[in-house]
């Protein structure tokens, strides 16, 4: 029987010293789904992602991750400056004991898929634009063929065109590999475009989920009109207005 793959977060709370950051967080991320956490800066989104990805020790509550494997891409690409594009992408494969020739082959294939060109393969991070670095970071996560991907505001530093392109690439990748994604953003439109479920995390007095929105329409069919209309609906939701401290005119 195939193993059920899911990420289950139950009654998770977290503090840094005497600062309570998160309180009673509950959600479930299923196979092939995208769950986004949106909220204003400082609300504990990154802290929650780090707890889920096991990058931070869990203090209170339970997190059960039964996905076969996971990888992550962060807001800043965090590339190794002394390695070229291909070696950065293939770095994680080395730890898995895959031979150099095979590593390079897989890294090149995914680099091309992610819109990098052969001319870029030998370049070092200092010679790449921000968008190219982001592609390398994304490719480095995907080359590991994760069943769960943790993404912390991966597109927030990009211009609107590039952001749209990488969002479409992410949607294609999700469908192709039946990938599950825990996605952190503060951009409501981005969350509506990509997610099956959006959790809204309010910062005060301590990070907690105030409301949840679900979207059934498959991501490939969400055009700009859908995204704009749903965003307008959210922007008139009292809980959203309160969470983002939006002033009504
Ligand atoms: N290692 C740490 N030690 C102490 N406090 C921390 C640590 N990491 C984060 N914090 C605090 O926890 C709170 C939540 O931070 P976090 O980075 O999770 O917020 P965020 O929602 O991701 O914000 P942003 O949208 O700006 O990225 C902040 O007040 C931050 O100062
Ligand atoms: Mg953050």
């Amino acid at each position: 029987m195939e193993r059920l793959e899911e990420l289950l977060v139950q009654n998770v709370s977290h503090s840094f010293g005497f600062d309570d950051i998160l309180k009673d967080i509950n959600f479930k991320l299923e196979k092939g789904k995208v769950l986004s956490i949106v909220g204003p800066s400082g609300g504990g989104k990154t802290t929650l992602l780090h707890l889920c990805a096991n990058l931070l020790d869990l203090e209170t509550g339970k997190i059960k991750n039964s996905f076969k494997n996971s990888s992550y891409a962060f807001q800043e690409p965090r590339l190794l400056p002394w390695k070229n594009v291909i070696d950065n992408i293939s770095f994680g494969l080395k730890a898995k004991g895959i031979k150099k020739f095979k590593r390079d082959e897989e890294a090149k294939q995914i680099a091309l898929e992610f819109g990098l060109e052969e001319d870029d393969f030998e370049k070092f991070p200092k010679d790449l634009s921000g968008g190219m670095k982001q592609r390398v970071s994304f490719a480095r996560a995907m080359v590991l063929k994760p069943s769960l991907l943790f993404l912390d505001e991966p597109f927030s530093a990009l211009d609107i065109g590039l952001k749209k392109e990488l969002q479409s690439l992410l949607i294609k990748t999700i469908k192709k590999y039946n990938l599950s994604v825990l996605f952190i953003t503060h951009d409501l439109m981005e969350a509506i475009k990509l997610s099956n479920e959006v959790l809204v995390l309010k910062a005060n007095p301590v990070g907690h989920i105030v409301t949840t929105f679900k979207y059934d329409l498959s991501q490939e069919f969400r055009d700009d009109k859908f995204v704009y209309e749903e965003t307008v609906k959210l922007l008139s939701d009292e809980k959203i207005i309160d969470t983002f401290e939006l002033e009504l005119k």
Side-chain angles (χ1 to χ4, degrees), residues 16 21 39-48 75 152-153 184 186 201:
F16 286 115
I21 306 296
S41 189
K45 300 184 296 298
T46 296
T47 305
L48 182 54
Q75 186 169 1
D152 191 355
E153 311 217 21
I184 304 289
H186 54 253
L201 189 75

Side-chain angles (χ1 to χ4, degrees), residues 17-244:
F18 293 112
D19 286 340
D20 293 334
I21 306 296
L22 293 168
K23 189 168 166 51
D24 265 334
I25 308 291
N26 289 282
F27 63 83
K28 181 161 84 173
L29 170 59
E30 294 172 350
K31 180 84 183 148
K33 304 282 183 197
V34 179
L35 186 140
S36 289
I37 295 165
V38 299
S41 189
K45 300 184 296 298
T46 296
T47 305
L48 182 54
L49 181 113
H50 284 178
L51 288 168
C52 292
N54 213 3
L55 298 170
L56 191 63
D57 288 338
L58 181 65
E59 293 174 342
T60 312
K62 263 193 198 165
I63 295 180
K64 280 195 261 174
N65 179 357
S66 56
F67 283 98
K68 286 194 195 88
N69 57 348
S70 56
S71 59
Y72 23 79
F74 298 98
Q75 186 169 1
E76 344 73 70
R78 298 191 192 178
L79 305 180
L80 299 171
W82 61 90
K83 289 192 180 288
N84 68 23
V85 163
I86 292 304
D87 290 344
N88 260 290
I89 295 176
S90 68
F91 190 66
L93 295 175
K94 198 173 174 182
K96 289 172 110 186
I98 297 172
K99 293 269 178 296
K100 170 100 174 106
F101 174 76
K102 183 88 182 116
R103 289 202 304 266
D104 285 358
E105 199 178 68
E106 287 186 25
K108 283 176 185 168
Q109 190 193 330
I110 205 133
L112 293 172
E113 221 175 284
F114 277 67
L116 292 155
E117 292 171 8
E118 279 190 33
D119 283 352
D120 304 325
F121 288 177
E122 304 288 321
K123 287 182 185 163
F124 288 86
K126 68 175 176 46
D127 301 320
L128 301 175
S129 71
M132 286 160 85
K133 285 185 200 157
Q134 210 70 53
R135 285 172 208 265
V136 175
S137 161
F138 206 173
R140 178 179 57 179
M142 284 312 302
V143 81
L144 298 170
K145 301 200 171 60
S147 49
L148 169 61
L149 185 60
F150 294 104
L151 295 174
D152 191 355
E153 311 217 21
F155 310 134
S156 58
L158 305 178
D159 70 66
I160 178 114
L162 205 50
K163 190 173 188 170
K164 273 190 137 181
E165 190 196 327
L166 288 184
Q167 286 169 344
S168 303
L169 187 61
L170 178 61
I171 291 171
K172 276 193 205 126
T173 311
I174 290 165
K175 298 293 162 193
K176 187 169 168 191
Y177 298 104
N178 199 22
L179 186 67
S180 308
V181 184
L182 183 63
F183 194 87
I184 304 289
T185 180
H186 54 253
D187 179 343
L188 281 175
M189 284 172 78
E190 180 167 71
I192 291 167
K193 180 161 183 168
L194 298 175
S195 321
N196 299 97
E197 192 169 354
V198 178
L199 309 184
V200 181
L201 189 75
K202 182 172 189 247
N204 296 318
V206 50
H208 63 290
I209 291 163
V210 280
T211 186
T212 301
F213 299 92
K214 289 192 177 175
Y215 299 98
D216 291 331
L217 182 68
S218 181
Q219 287 90 332
E220 307 107 288
F221 304 118
R222 296 183 197 177
D223 54 12
D224 288 346
K225 184 166 174 278
F226 173 87
V227 174
Y228 294 145
E229 285 174 0
E230 292 300 325
T231 306
V232 170
K233 278 189 215 160
L234 288 203
L235 289 174
S236 59
D237 186 291
E238 273 179 29
K239 287 182 174 146
I240 296 275
I241 293 169
D242 179 46
T243 299
F244 287 90

